[in-house]
Amino acid sequence: MTALSDESPAHPIRLTGQDSALEPVDGPAPAGAPQGRAARARARLRHFAGRHALFTVLLLAGLALRALTLYAYRPAFEFYGDSYAYIRLSTLQRPDPMRPAGYPAFLRLISEAGGDLWVVTLVQHVLAVLLAVALYALLVHRRVAPPLAALAAAPLLLDAYQVVIEHFVMAETLFATLLVAAVVALMWSPRPPVWAVALAGLLFGASGLVRTIGVAIGVLALGYILLRRVGWARLAVFAVALAAPLAAYASWFHSAHGRYALTGGDAAWMYGRVAPIAECDRLDLSPRQLSLCSPHPVSERPDPSYYVWDRNSPSNNLDVADVEERDRLLNDFTRQVITRQTGDYLRMVGSEVAHYFEPGRRVGPRDWPDATWRFPVGDEPAYLHNNEPLLGFDGDRPERVIVEPYAGYLRDYQKYGYTPGPVLAAAAGLGLLACLMAGRGRVPLGVRGQRARERWRALVGERRRLSADCLFLVAAGMAILVVPAATVCFDYRYMLPVLFLFPPAA
């Protein structure tokens, strides 16, 4: 037999005749092999494009919306009070008593890299698009049909309110990035590796340093890992990774303010939450606490933010010696309102949570104005409510540019281009229903044979995994709605994170 060298043809061969001559089996000639590979590559590309066509269209539309926003509104929407505070805090000299330092640290990174406010918005728009891609990839990986996976990512790509919040110098986009990355790390594998669990814990912990609601979601994730039954070692790794950034920040906060915490404004926020409904004749108040009672009738009282920020608010005119005494009086006032007017408090919280699921964008007299989160018509005032000038990274007020008619196109789009409340309610309901149905499963008694029983166990395990996934996504979304309603106020800004929680659950 003739020896085969390295240059022998790669296609199949067979031996024929007495001299063992080599003949190729029927197939393409060597010269045609590259064309065959190219044809297969084109076929795979066509299959990929067809399979993901809907998501590609939605992705391009989302990119177009963000490109138009970057062009029509420059450099950023930073006329909101928190925006100036975040820019001011980006020096990271000490922890702020009202806002954690996660987002200011993000701004500091951009400013030290030479970026300006327009770079902040560009990065945030890019992050939001990557979030949609990550969610879509996760759902397709979990065997969700690509068209359904694309619909789940559509709110994040196309909701005009989401695009607006990305254009603000605000913490929401960074918070969403950390949260979605943590969810993907936990939900990608049937049994996530230890490094993925540790990464998810760190990401949830970091999200709590951007918005403190991330701490509550991290605690929910602990329960999710328990339901997944991935082992005590992974649960311990997650708990340590979750606590590490929070403990480090709390130590820094203690060095500046004398107590271990992430923020120090809880007493003021909770007072502002209950002051609109407080009936002081039903409370047992000290003489100094009587000054916290609003002079307005209950039906005519202003929104909660007035009681927190306005210089005429009773809480800002309380005659106390120090902050600790002020917080003690505010906390006791809040506790009495909640315990003695429990029905009023629960009705207020429940009505505001239900408000998020209503059609349209109705705004009540005590709600945060919806106009704050719309594409603006003109330039905003140059000063905040406390007469602080609005400044950029360089200490100067940035020149704002609004390019018409493109800005008008965005304003017109926002009238209809948002996710309706009933759609989010239906998504949450479907996710909860899926959780209940997927969790019902056990190996039938009539199954015989080791392999058959192993297949059934794998199926039951997958159903339990799906149930835990849906329960966590819905619970995290509800926490994001309930906690602000119970502690701050109603604000459509707070509902935006559910755009990447409820639809994937559904």
Side-chain angles (χ1 to χ4, degrees):
M1 181 186 299
T2 305
L4 296 180
S5 69
D6 291 340
E7 287 77 22
S8 299
H11 51 270
I13 59 175
R14 66 177 176 224
L15 301 178
T16 61
Q18 298 297 322
D19 58 355
S20 301
L22 294 175
E23 277 184 21
V25 176
D26 293 339
Q35 287 84 352
R37 286 194 293 271
R40 288 193 295 272
R42 287 193 297 270
R44 285 195 294 268
L45 182 60
R46 285 194 299 269
H47 174 74
F48 180 87
R51 177 175 167 81
H52 305 291
L54 179 58
F55 179 73
T56 301
V57 171
L58 296 175
L59 180 63
L60 292 175
L63 288 169
L65 272 175
R66 287 158 176 83
L68 189 60
T69 302
L70 287 166
Y71 176 72
Y73 290 98
R74 290 174 271 173
F77 297 153
E78 43 83 37
F79 41 76
Y80 185 66
D82 282 357
S83 300
Y84 175 78
Y86 283 130
I87 294 172
R88 176 172 50 83
L89 294 171
S90 64
T91 57
L92 300 180
Q93 294 179 351
R94 67 198 306 264
D96 184 67
M98 297 296 286
R99 302 171 183 85
Y103 188 66
F106 171 78
L107 296 179
R108 175 74 174 269
L109 287 175
I110 293 178
S111 66
E112 288 188 346
D116 210 335
L117 292 180
W118 71 270
V119 179
V120 175
T121 59
L122 174 62
V123 171
Q124 291 180 166
H125 286 308
V126 171
L127 287 175
V129 172
L130 293 177
L131 291 185
V133 174
L135 280 178
Y136 179 76
L138 173 65
L139 293 174
V140 172
H141 175 73
R142 296 294 302 276
R143 296 183 295 178
V144 175
L148 291 178
L151 290 178
L156 187 53
L157 287 169
L158 303 181
D159 192 297
Y161 285 84
Q162 174 64 34
V163 177
V164 166
I165 205 68
E166 295 163 22
H167 210 64
F168 265 94
V169 183
M170 294 282 286
E172 269 64 22
T173 305
L174 179 60
F175 173 73
T177 302
L178 297 169
L179 199 58
V180 170
V183 167
V184 171
L186 280 183
M187 293 187 178
W188 190 267
S189 302
R191 185 177 174 83
V194 173
W195 69 263
V197 172
L199 175 62
L202 288 172
L203 291 170
F204 278 122
S207 73
L209 300 181
V210 176
R211 283 189 57 196
T212 52
I213 184 64
V215 179
I217 299 176
V219 173
L220 288 174
L222 274 172
Y224 165 75
I225 293 175
L226 275 173
L227 288 177
R228 286 282 304 274
R229 303 179 183 178
V230 295
W232 293 107
R234 284 173 170 77
L235 180 66
V237 168
F238 179 85
V240 171
L242 172 66
L246 301 176
Y249 186 83
S251 298
W252 184 38
F253 192 93
H254 176 268
S255 67
H257 302 289
R259 61 193 182 95
Y260 293 98
L262 301 182
T263 61
D266 295 344
W269 285 115
M270 286 302 301
Y271 167 75
R273 174 72 286 191
V274 302
I277 64 169
E279 298 178 17
C280 288
D281 57 348
R282 299 168 61 180
L283 309 179
D284 183 17
L285 302 176
S286 67
R288 280 190 297 178
Q289 284 178 309
L290 287 173
S291 66
L292 295 173
C293 300
S294 180
H296 310 87
V298 173
S299 60
E300 300 176 7
R301 290 180 186 174
D303 61 277
S305 62
Y306 166 85
Y307 293 98
V308 178
W309 298 112
D310 197 280
R311 65 186 61 186
N312 296 316
S313 165
S315 67
N316 293 326
N317 290 279
L318 195 60
D319 183 18
V320 291
D322 51 39
V323 174
E324 288 75 13
E325 178 66 9
R326 173 178 177 268
D327 286 354
R328 187 188 67 80
L329 294 175
L330 292 177
N331 284 329
D332 182 68
F333 184 93
T334 299
R335 179 189 59 79
Q336 291 196 47
V337 173
I338 293 176
T339 56
R340 302 192 181 193
Q341 296 181 238
T342 305
D344 296 335
Y345 177 73
L346 292 178
R347 278 191 295 272
M348 176 182 67
V349 174
S351 65
E352 295 198 354
V353 172
H355 190 172
Y356 287 112
F357 299 118
E358 294 177 359
R361 284 293 186 267
R362 180 183 66 84
V363 177
R366 293 178 185 167
D367 300 340
W368 189 264
D370 173 61
T372 306
W373 316 119
R374 290 183 174 271
F375 289 105
V377 176
D379 200 5
E380 295 295 321
Y383 294 89
L384 301 177
H385 58 81
N386 56 2
N387 292 325
E388 288 183 294
L390 288 161
L391 306 176
F393 289 144
D394 55 3
D396 297 324
R397 186 190 178 208
E399 180 183 359
R400 299 188 186 91
V401 177
I402 298 180
V403 182
E404 301 289 355
Y406 304 104
Y409 298 155
L410 291 168
R411 292 193 294 269
D412 291 340
Y413 174 77
Q414 191 168 18
K415 295 176 182 177
Y416 310 100
Y418 61 86
T419 310
V423 171
L424 290 175
L430 284 172
L432 186 59
L433 181 63
C435 162
L436 297 175
M437 295 181 66
R440 298 173 58 189
R442 61 184 179 84
V443 179
L445 294 176
V447 175
R448 294 289 184 268
Q450 182 66 23
R451 295 183 63 183
R453 294 188 67 84
E454 287 178 356
R455 286 197 296 269
W456 269 103
R457 288 194 186 97
L459 176 61
V460 170
E462 177 61 19
R463 293 181 65 176
R464 287 174 178 166
R465 177 189 176 194
L466 288 171
S467 177
D469 292 346
C470 294
L471 179 61
F472 173 70
L473 291 173
V474 173
M478 289 305 300
I480 284 173
L481 298 181
V482 171
V483 172
T487 59
V488 187
C489 67
F490 176 89
D491 188 344
Y492 280 114
R493 167 170 67 117
Y494 295 135
M495 76 178 293
L496 292 177
V498 306
L499 297 180
F500 51 81
L501 294 171
F502 287 167

